[in-house]
Amino acid sequence: MLHEIEILEARRIADLALAAREVRDRLLEHVPETDLQDTLPARGEHNVAAELELNGVLAGQPDVVALREAIVALPREIQVKLWVVTQIGRGNLAISDWDEAMDAAAALHDADLVTNLVAETDLHHYLRKGLYELGAATLPGDAT
């Protein structure tokens, strides 16, 4: 499924995605929840800002630019695998769906693939979780 270099690239993209998420969170840090949503949910996620897309505002931020450039610079095959790992991490796909998911991701246009990855607010979390699900959370020789 994933080769060592692809695992390393997924980790690198996850780290860049975390930095981009931190920029996004800093922008929303002082916005009251009441300005973002009418009522608070009774249960579950209370970070209503987590679902907000700030692509226009964030597009020029250095960390977001670095994330986009890093994804664009990857070979298409690795971009496709990143998308599939993200979907596994989200819980949208099972590992057993790998081949079908690869076909579905391969059908996406290059721009859509990159945009889907960059726009994913929790890309870091989903990549790390997907890697864990695939048994690729650590590599031989990694410190535990």
Short mmCIF file of all heavy atoms in Angstrom, two decimals, residues 16-71:
data_model
loop_
_atom_site.label_atom_id
_atom_site.label_comp_id
_atom_site.label_asym_id
_atom_site.label_seq_id
_atom_site.Cartn_x
_atom_site.Cartn_y
_atom_site.Cartn_z
N LEU A 16 3.09 19.88 8.11
CA LEU A 16 2.77 21.16 7.46
C LEU A 16 1.30 21.52 7.66
O LEU A 16 0.95 22.69 7.87
CB LEU A 16 3.11 21.11 5.97
CG LEU A 16 4.59 21.05 5.62
CD1 LEU A 16 4.78 20.73 4.14
CD2 LEU A 16 5.28 22.36 5.98
N ALA A 17 0.44 20.52 7.60
CA ALA A 17 -1.00 20.75 7.80
C ALA A 17 -1.28 21.22 9.23
O ALA A 17 -2.16 22.05 9.45
CB ALA A 17 -1.79 19.48 7.49
N LEU A 18 -0.54 20.68 10.19
CA LEU A 18 -0.71 21.12 11.57
C LEU A 18 -0.33 22.59 11.71
O LEU A 18 -1.03 23.38 12.35
CB LEU A 18 0.13 20.26 12.52
CG LEU A 18 0.06 20.65 14.00
CD1 LEU A 18 -1.37 20.55 14.52
CD2 LEU A 18 0.99 19.77 14.81
N ALA A 19 0.77 22.99 11.09
CA ALA A 19 1.18 24.40 11.14
C ALA A 19 0.13 25.30 10.49
O ALA A 19 -0.18 26.37 11.01
CB ALA A 19 2.53 24.57 10.44
N ALA A 20 -0.44 24.85 9.36
CA ALA A 20 -1.49 25.63 8.70
C ALA A 20 -2.73 25.72 9.58
O ALA A 20 -3.38 26.76 9.66
CB ALA A 20 -1.83 25.01 7.34
N ARG A 21 -3.07 24.62 10.26
CA ARG A 21 -4.23 24.62 11.16
C ARG A 21 -4.01 25.58 12.31
O ARG A 21 -4.94 26.29 12.75
CB ARG A 21 -4.49 23.20 11.67
CG ARG A 21 -5.53 23.07 12.77
CD ARG A 21 -6.91 23.51 12.28
NE ARG A 21 -7.86 23.63 13.36
CZ ARG A 21 -8.81 22.74 13.61
NH1 ARG A 21 -8.93 21.68 12.87
NH2 ARG A 21 -9.63 22.94 14.61
N GLU A 22 -2.80 25.65 12.82
CA GLU A 22 -2.50 26.56 13.93
C GLU A 22 -2.66 28.02 13.50
O GLU A 22 -3.15 28.84 14.27
CB GLU A 22 -1.10 26.28 14.47
CG GLU A 22 -1.03 24.96 15.23
CD GLU A 22 0.38 24.52 15.58
OE1 GLU A 22 1.36 25.13 15.10
OE2 GLU A 22 0.50 23.53 16.32
N VAL A 23 -2.29 28.33 12.27
CA VAL A 23 -2.49 29.69 11.75
C VAL A 23 -3.98 29.99 11.70
O VAL A 23 -4.44 31.06 12.13
CB VAL A 23 -1.87 29.85 10.33
CG1 VAL A 23 -2.32 31.13 9.67
CG2 VAL A 23 -0.36 29.79 10.42
N ARG A 24 -4.75 29.06 11.18
CA ARG A 24 -6.20 29.21 11.08
C ARG A 24 -6.82 29.42 12.46
O ARG A 24 -7.66 30.29 12.65
CB ARG A 24 -6.77 27.96 10.41
CG ARG A 24 -8.23 27.99 10.20
CD ARG A 24 -8.67 26.60 9.69
NE ARG A 24 -10.09 26.54 9.66
CZ ARG A 24 -10.86 26.43 10.73
NH1 ARG A 24 -10.33 26.36 11.92
NH2 ARG A 24 -12.17 26.39 10.61
N ASP A 25 -6.39 28.61 13.41
CA ASP A 25 -6.93 28.71 14.76
C ASP A 25 -6.58 30.05 15.41
O ASP A 25 -7.40 30.63 16.13
CB ASP A 25 -6.44 27.56 15.63
CG ASP A 25 -7.07 26.23 15.23
OD1 ASP A 25 -8.03 26.22 14.44
OD2 ASP A 25 -6.57 25.18 15.71
N ARG A 26 -5.36 30.55 15.16
CA ARG A 26 -4.97 31.85 15.71
C ARG A 26 -5.85 32.97 15.15
O ARG A 26 -6.19 33.91 15.87
CB ARG A 26 -3.49 32.14 15.43
CG ARG A 26 -2.54 31.47 16.39
CD ARG A 26 -1.13 32.02 16.30
NE ARG A 26 -0.56 31.98 14.97
CZ ARG A 26 0.11 30.94 14.46
NH1 ARG A 26 0.26 29.84 15.18
NH2 ARG A 26 0.61 30.99 13.25
N LEU A 27 -6.22 32.86 13.87
CA LEU A 27 -7.08 33.87 13.28
C LEU A 27 -8.47 33.89 13.93
O LEU A 27 -9.11 34.94 14.02
CB LEU A 27 -7.24 33.64 11.77
CG LEU A 27 -6.03 33.96 10.91
CD1 LEU A 27 -6.27 33.50 9.48
CD2 LEU A 27 -5.73 35.44 10.95
N LEU A 28 -8.92 32.73 14.36
CA LEU A 28 -10.26 32.62 14.95
C LEU A 28 -10.27 32.64 16.48
O LEU A 28 -11.32 32.60 17.09
CB LEU A 28 -10.92 31.32 14.47
CG LEU A 28 -11.22 31.26 12.98
CD1 LEU A 28 -11.70 29.87 12.60
CD2 LEU A 28 -12.24 32.30 12.59
N GLU A 29 -9.09 32.75 17.06
CA GLU A 29 -8.94 32.63 18.50
C GLU A 29 -9.84 33.57 19.30
O GLU A 29 -10.39 33.22 20.32
CB GLU A 29 -7.47 32.88 18.85
CG GLU A 29 -7.10 32.56 20.25
CD GLU A 29 -5.59 32.67 20.41
OE1 GLU A 29 -5.04 33.77 20.23
OE2 GLU A 29 -4.97 31.65 20.67
N HIS A 30 -9.98 34.79 18.84
CA HIS A 30 -10.70 35.79 19.62
C HIS A 30 -12.10 36.08 19.10
O HIS A 30 -12.73 37.04 19.52
CB HIS A 30 -9.89 37.09 19.68
CG HIS A 30 -8.54 36.89 20.31
ND1 HIS A 30 -8.38 36.61 21.65
CD2 HIS A 30 -7.29 36.88 19.79
CE1 HIS A 30 -7.10 36.46 21.92
NE2 HIS A 30 -6.41 36.61 20.81
N VAL A 31 -12.59 35.23 18.20
CA VAL A 31 -13.94 35.39 17.68
C VAL A 31 -14.88 34.63 18.61
O VAL A 31 -14.75 33.43 18.78
CB VAL A 31 -14.06 34.84 16.24
CG1 VAL A 31 -15.49 34.97 15.74
CG2 VAL A 31 -13.10 35.57 15.32
N PRO A 32 -15.84 35.33 19.23
CA PRO A 32 -16.77 34.65 20.13
C PRO A 32 -17.61 33.61 19.38
O PRO A 32 -17.99 33.83 18.23
CB PRO A 32 -17.67 35.77 20.65
CG PRO A 32 -16.99 37.04 20.29
CD PRO A 32 -16.07 36.76 19.14
N GLU A 33 -17.88 32.49 20.04
CA GLU A 33 -18.69 31.44 19.41
C GLU A 33 -20.04 31.96 18.97
O GLU A 33 -20.59 31.51 17.98
CB GLU A 33 -18.87 30.25 20.37
CG GLU A 33 -17.67 29.37 20.46
CD GLU A 33 -17.94 28.09 21.22
OE1 GLU A 33 -19.11 27.69 21.38
OE2 GLU A 33 -16.97 27.47 21.67
N THR A 34 -20.58 32.91 19.71
CA THR A 34 -21.90 33.43 19.36
C THR A 34 -21.88 34.12 18.00
O THR A 34 -22.90 34.21 17.33
CB THR A 34 -22.41 34.41 20.42
OG1 THR A 34 -21.43 35.43 20.63
CG2 THR A 34 -22.70 33.68 21.73
N ASP A 35 -20.72 34.61 17.57
CA ASP A 35 -20.60 35.22 16.25
C ASP A 35 -20.48 34.17 15.15
O ASP A 35 -20.66 34.48 13.98
CB ASP A 35 -19.38 36.14 16.18
CG ASP A 35 -19.54 37.39 17.02
OD1 ASP A 35 -20.68 37.65 17.48
OD2 ASP A 35 -18.55 38.09 17.22
N LEU A 36 -20.19 32.95 15.52
CA LEU A 36 -19.99 31.89 14.54
C LEU A 36 -21.22 31.00 14.37
O LEU A 36 -21.40 30.40 13.33
CB LEU A 36 -18.80 31.01 14.95
CG LEU A 36 -17.46 31.73 15.06
CD1 LEU A 36 -16.42 30.79 15.64
CD2 LEU A 36 -17.02 32.25 13.71
N GLN A 37 -22.06 30.91 15.39
CA GLN A 37 -23.17 29.96 15.36
C GLN A 37 -24.27 30.48 16.26
O GLN A 37 -24.00 31.07 17.30
CB GLN A 37 -22.66 28.60 15.83
CG GLN A 37 -23.71 27.54 15.91
CD GLN A 37 -23.07 26.23 16.31
OE1 GLN A 37 -22.00 25.89 15.85
NE2 GLN A 37 -23.73 25.48 17.16
N ASP A 38 -25.52 30.19 15.90
CA ASP A 38 -26.65 30.66 16.70
C ASP A 38 -26.73 29.97 18.05
O ASP A 38 -26.86 30.61 19.08
CB ASP A 38 -27.96 30.44 15.94
CG ASP A 38 -28.07 31.36 14.73
OD1 ASP A 38 -27.43 32.43 14.75
OD2 ASP A 38 -28.78 31.00 13.78
N THR A 39 -26.68 28.65 18.07
CA THR A 39 -26.80 27.91 19.33
C THR A 39 -25.68 26.89 19.43
O THR A 39 -25.21 26.35 18.43
CB THR A 39 -28.15 27.16 19.41
OG1 THR A 39 -28.24 26.27 18.32
CG2 THR A 39 -29.31 28.13 19.39
N LEU A 40 -25.27 26.64 20.64
CA LEU A 40 -24.25 25.62 20.88
C LEU A 40 -24.89 24.24 20.85
O LEU A 40 -26.01 24.06 21.32
CB LEU A 40 -23.60 25.83 22.25
CG LEU A 40 -22.71 27.05 22.39
CD1 LEU A 40 -22.23 27.17 23.84
CD2 LEU A 40 -21.53 26.96 21.45
N PRO A 41 -24.21 23.25 20.29
CA PRO A 41 -24.77 21.90 20.30
C PRO A 41 -24.83 21.37 21.72
O PRO A 41 -24.00 21.72 22.56
CB PRO A 41 -23.79 21.10 19.45
CG PRO A 41 -22.53 21.89 19.47
CD PRO A 41 -22.91 23.33 19.66
N ALA A 42 -25.82 20.53 22.00
CA ALA A 42 -25.98 19.96 23.32
C ALA A 42 -24.87 18.97 23.63
O ALA A 42 -24.46 18.81 24.76
CB ALA A 42 -27.33 19.29 23.44
N ARG A 43 -24.37 18.28 22.58
CA ARG A 43 -23.35 17.26 22.77
C ARG A 43 -22.30 17.38 21.68
O ARG A 43 -22.51 18.02 20.67
CB ARG A 43 -23.95 15.87 22.65
CG ARG A 43 -24.99 15.58 23.65
CD ARG A 43 -25.60 14.25 23.35
NE ARG A 43 -26.08 13.69 24.59
CZ ARG A 43 -26.08 12.43 24.89
NH1 ARG A 43 -25.65 11.55 24.04
NH2 ARG A 43 -26.52 12.00 26.04
N GLY A 44 -21.19 16.68 21.88
CA GLY A 44 -20.19 16.57 20.83
C GLY A 44 -19.30 17.78 20.71
O GLY A 44 -19.06 18.52 21.65
N GLU A 45 -18.82 17.96 19.50
CA GLU A 45 -17.84 19.01 19.17
C GLU A 45 -18.40 20.39 19.48
O GLU A 45 -19.46 20.76 18.99
CB GLU A 45 -17.48 18.92 17.69
CG GLU A 45 -16.49 19.94 17.23
CD GLU A 45 -15.06 19.56 17.56
OE1 GLU A 45 -14.74 18.37 17.62
OE2 GLU A 45 -14.25 20.49 17.75
N HIS A 46 -17.69 21.14 20.29
CA HIS A 46 -18.11 22.51 20.60
C HIS A 46 -17.21 23.53 19.93
O HIS A 46 -17.38 24.72 20.13
CB HIS A 46 -18.13 22.74 22.11
CG HIS A 46 -19.29 22.07 22.77
ND1 HIS A 46 -20.53 22.63 22.85
CD2 HIS A 46 -19.40 20.84 23.33
CE1 HIS A 46 -21.37 21.81 23.46
NE2 HIS A 46 -20.70 20.71 23.75
N ASN A 47 -16.26 23.07 19.14
CA ASN A 47 -15.41 23.99 18.41
C ASN A 47 -16.07 24.27 17.06
O ASN A 47 -15.75 23.68 16.05
CB ASN A 47 -14.01 23.40 18.21
CG ASN A 47 -13.08 24.35 17.49
OD1 ASN A 47 -13.43 25.50 17.21
ND2 ASN A 47 -11.89 23.88 17.17
N VAL A 48 -17.01 25.21 17.07
CA VAL A 48 -17.77 25.49 15.85
C VAL A 48 -16.88 26.06 14.76
O VAL A 48 -17.19 25.96 13.58
CB VAL A 48 -18.95 26.44 16.12
CG1 VAL A 48 -19.96 25.76 17.03
CG2 VAL A 48 -18.48 27.75 16.73
N ALA A 49 -15.76 26.63 15.13
CA ALA A 49 -14.85 27.20 14.14
C ALA A 49 -14.12 26.11 13.36
O ALA A 49 -13.57 26.38 12.30
CB ALA A 49 -13.83 28.10 14.83
N ALA A 50 -14.14 24.89 13.85
CA ALA A 50 -13.42 23.81 13.18
C ALA A 50 -13.93 23.55 11.78
O ALA A 50 -13.19 23.09 10.92
CB ALA A 50 -13.51 22.53 14.01
N GLU A 51 -15.19 23.83 11.53
CA GLU A 51 -15.77 23.57 10.21
C GLU A 51 -15.71 24.76 9.27
O GLU A 51 -16.06 24.65 8.11
CB GLU A 51 -17.23 23.11 10.37
CG GLU A 51 -17.35 21.79 11.11
CD GLU A 51 -16.56 20.67 10.46
OE1 GLU A 51 -16.60 20.53 9.22
OE2 GLU A 51 -15.88 19.93 11.20
N LEU A 52 -15.28 25.90 9.77
CA LEU A 52 -15.22 27.09 8.91
C LEU A 52 -14.08 26.96 7.91
O LEU A 52 -12.98 26.56 8.27
CB LEU A 52 -15.01 28.35 9.74
CG LEU A 52 -16.16 28.78 10.63
CD1 LEU A 52 -15.76 30.00 11.42
CD2 LEU A 52 -17.41 29.05 9.82
N GLU A 53 -14.35 27.30 6.69
CA GLU A 53 -13.30 27.31 5.67
C GLU A 53 -12.86 28.75 5.46
O GLU A 53 -13.66 29.62 5.21
CB GLU A 53 -13.82 26.72 4.36
CG GLU A 53 -14.08 25.25 4.45
CD GLU A 53 -14.45 24.64 3.12
OE1 GLU A 53 -14.12 25.23 2.07
OE2 GLU A 53 -15.06 23.58 3.13
N LEU A 54 -11.58 28.96 5.59
CA LEU A 54 -11.02 30.30 5.44
C LEU A 54 -10.02 30.34 4.29
O LEU A 54 -9.02 31.03 4.36
CB LEU A 54 -10.33 30.71 6.75
CG LEU A 54 -11.22 30.81 7.98
CD1 LEU A 54 -10.39 31.10 9.20
CD2 LEU A 54 -12.28 31.87 7.79
N ASN A 55 -10.30 29.59 3.25
CA ASN A 55 -9.34 29.48 2.16
C ASN A 55 -8.93 30.82 1.60
O ASN A 55 -7.76 31.05 1.32
CB ASN A 55 -9.90 28.58 1.05
CG ASN A 55 -10.08 27.16 1.53
OD1 ASN A 55 -9.42 26.73 2.46
ND2 ASN A 55 -10.98 26.44 0.91
N GLY A 56 -9.86 31.74 1.41
CA GLY A 56 -9.52 33.05 0.87
C GLY A 56 -8.60 33.82 1.80
O GLY A 56 -7.61 34.40 1.39
N VAL A 57 -8.93 33.81 3.08
CA VAL A 57 -8.15 34.52 4.09
C VAL A 57 -6.79 33.85 4.29
O VAL A 57 -5.77 34.52 4.45
CB VAL A 57 -8.92 34.58 5.43
CG1 VAL A 57 -8.08 35.19 6.52
CG2 VAL A 57 -10.23 35.32 5.25
N LEU A 58 -6.78 32.54 4.27
CA LEU A 58 -5.56 31.80 4.57
C LEU A 58 -4.63 31.62 3.38
O LEU A 58 -3.46 31.31 3.57
CB LEU A 58 -5.92 30.41 5.11
CG LEU A 58 -6.56 30.37 6.48
CD1 LEU A 58 -6.96 28.96 6.83
CD2 LEU A 58 -5.62 30.92 7.53
N ALA A 59 -5.14 31.77 2.19
CA ALA A 59 -4.38 31.42 0.99
C ALA A 59 -2.98 32.03 0.94
O ALA A 59 -2.06 31.39 0.45
CB ALA A 59 -5.17 31.81 -0.26
N GLY A 60 -2.81 33.23 1.46
CA GLY A 60 -1.51 33.88 1.40
C GLY A 60 -0.65 33.67 2.62
O GLY A 60 0.51 34.13 2.66
N GLN A 61 -1.16 32.98 3.63
CA GLN A 61 -0.38 32.74 4.84
C GLN A 61 0.79 31.79 4.52
O GLN A 61 0.60 30.77 3.86
CB GLN A 61 -1.26 32.13 5.93
CG GLN A 61 -2.36 33.04 6.41
CD GLN A 61 -1.82 34.23 7.17
OE1 GLN A 61 -0.82 34.13 7.89
NE2 GLN A 61 -2.46 35.37 7.01
N PRO A 62 1.99 32.12 4.97
CA PRO A 62 3.17 31.31 4.62
C PRO A 62 3.02 29.82 4.92
O PRO A 62 3.44 28.98 4.12
CB PRO A 62 4.29 31.93 5.45
CG PRO A 62 3.84 33.34 5.68
CD PRO A 62 2.35 33.29 5.77
N ASP A 63 2.42 29.47 6.05
CA ASP A 63 2.28 28.05 6.39
C ASP A 63 1.31 27.34 5.45
O ASP A 63 1.50 26.17 5.10
CB ASP A 63 1.83 27.87 7.84
CG ASP A 63 2.93 28.23 8.82
OD1 ASP A 63 4.11 27.93 8.53
OD2 ASP A 63 2.62 28.81 9.88
N VAL A 64 0.27 28.04 5.02
CA VAL A 64 -0.70 27.46 4.09
C VAL A 64 -0.08 27.34 2.70
O VAL A 64 -0.26 26.34 2.01
CB VAL A 64 -2.00 28.28 4.07
CG1 VAL A 64 -2.98 27.72 3.04
CG2 VAL A 64 -2.63 28.30 5.46
N VAL A 65 0.67 28.37 2.31
CA VAL A 65 1.38 28.33 1.02
C VAL A 65 2.36 27.17 1.01
O VAL A 65 2.45 26.43 0.03
CB VAL A 65 2.09 29.68 0.75
CG1 VAL A 65 3.02 29.58 -0.44
CG2 VAL A 65 1.07 30.79 0.55
N ALA A 66 3.08 26.98 2.11
CA ALA A 66 4.05 25.87 2.20
C ALA A 66 3.35 24.52 2.08
O ALA A 66 3.85 23.62 1.40
CB ALA A 66 4.82 25.96 3.51
N LEU A 67 2.19 24.38 2.71
CA LEU A 67 1.43 23.14 2.61
C LEU A 67 1.00 22.88 1.17
O LEU A 67 1.22 21.80 0.63
CB LEU A 67 0.20 23.20 3.53
CG LEU A 67 -0.79 22.03 3.41
CD1 LEU A 67 -0.12 20.71 3.79
CD2 LEU A 67 -2.01 22.31 4.28
N ARG A 68 0.40 23.89 0.55
CA ARG A 68 -0.06 23.74 -0.84
C ARG A 68 1.11 23.40 -1.77
O ARG A 68 1.03 22.49 -2.58
CB ARG A 68 -0.76 25.00 -1.33
CG ARG A 68 -1.20 24.91 -2.79
CD ARG A 68 -1.99 26.11 -3.24
NE ARG A 68 -3.31 26.17 -2.65
CZ ARG A 68 -4.34 25.43 -3.06
NH1 ARG A 68 -4.20 24.59 -4.05
NH2 ARG A 68 -5.51 25.54 -2.48
N GLU A 69 2.22 24.13 -1.64
CA GLU A 69 3.38 23.89 -2.50
C GLU A 69 3.96 22.49 -2.29
O GLU A 69 4.38 21.84 -3.25
CB GLU A 69 4.44 24.96 -2.28
CG GLU A 69 4.04 26.32 -2.83
CD GLU A 69 5.05 27.41 -2.53
OE1 GLU A 69 6.01 27.18 -1.74
OE2 GLU A 69 4.87 28.52 -3.07
N ALA A 70 3.97 22.04 -1.05
CA ALA A 70 4.50 20.70 -0.77
C ALA A 70 3.62 19.63 -1.40
O ALA A 70 4.14 18.65 -1.97
CB ALA A 70 4.60 20.48 0.73
N ILE A 71 2.31 19.81 -1.35
CA ILE A 71 1.41 18.84 -1.95
C ILE A 71 1.52 18.87 -3.46
O ILE A 71 1.59 17.82 -4.12
CB ILE A 71 -0.05 19.06 -1.48
CG1 ILE A 71 -0.17 18.75 0.01
CG2 ILE A 71 -1.03 18.22 -2.30
CD1 ILE A 71 -1.50 19.14 0.63
#
